């Protein structure tokens, strides 16, 4: 089974839920590292390392992170050794980031992309 790890801060929670459902439809087993609801949202700098460490330890080959813009959460993830996180707001850069840069974490912003565009970005990145 294909597996992927995902996480978001409070601002990314609704989009994370939509992306998670999409991944399940694509046949992925998804580990959700939070935020789990809108009331108890964690800041991006707490969620990113949890997902990034799972990539670093090779528990997962790929991860997805979502915050308001994608910038903060990707910067926090890139501090973990072995993580190559990229922020993408459109599918073409996502595809090329995998082909040319071997990115293993995709980040985007819930305040930047809607759910349908996010699904297209994810599809190209995968």
């Amino acid at each position: 089974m294909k597996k992927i790890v995902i996480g978001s801060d409070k601002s990314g929670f609704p989009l994370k839920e939509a992306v998670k459902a999409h991944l399940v439809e694509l046949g992925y087993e998804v580990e959700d590292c939070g935020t789990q609801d809108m009331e108890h949202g964690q800041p991006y700098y707490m969620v990113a390392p949890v997902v990034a460490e799972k990539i670093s330890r090779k528990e997962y080959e790929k991860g997805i992170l979502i915050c308001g813009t994608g910038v903060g959460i990707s910067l926090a993830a890139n501090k973990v050794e072995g993580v190559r996180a990229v922020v993408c707001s459109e599918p073409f850069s996502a595809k090329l980031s995998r082909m040319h840069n071997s990115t293993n974490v995709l980040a985007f912003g819930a305040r930047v992309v809607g759910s349908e565009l996010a699904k297209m970005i994810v599809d190209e990145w995968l």
Side-chain angles (χ1 to χ4, degrees), residues 9 11 31 46 54 60 71 73 82 103-104 108 110 114-115 123:
D9 66 3
S11 65
E31 181 178 349
M46 292 179 70
K54 290 179 180 290
Y60 292 89
V71 174
I73 208 160
T103 57
N104 52 13
F108 44 83
S115 62
D123 290 348

Side-chain angles (χ1 to χ4, degrees), residues 6-10 12-13 16 34-35 42 47 65-67 73:
I6 192 169
S8 74
D9 66 3
K10 182 177 178 176
F13 174 75
K16 176 187 60 100
T35 287
Q42 297 172 294
V47 175
L65 290 167
I66 307 167
C67 67
I73 208 160

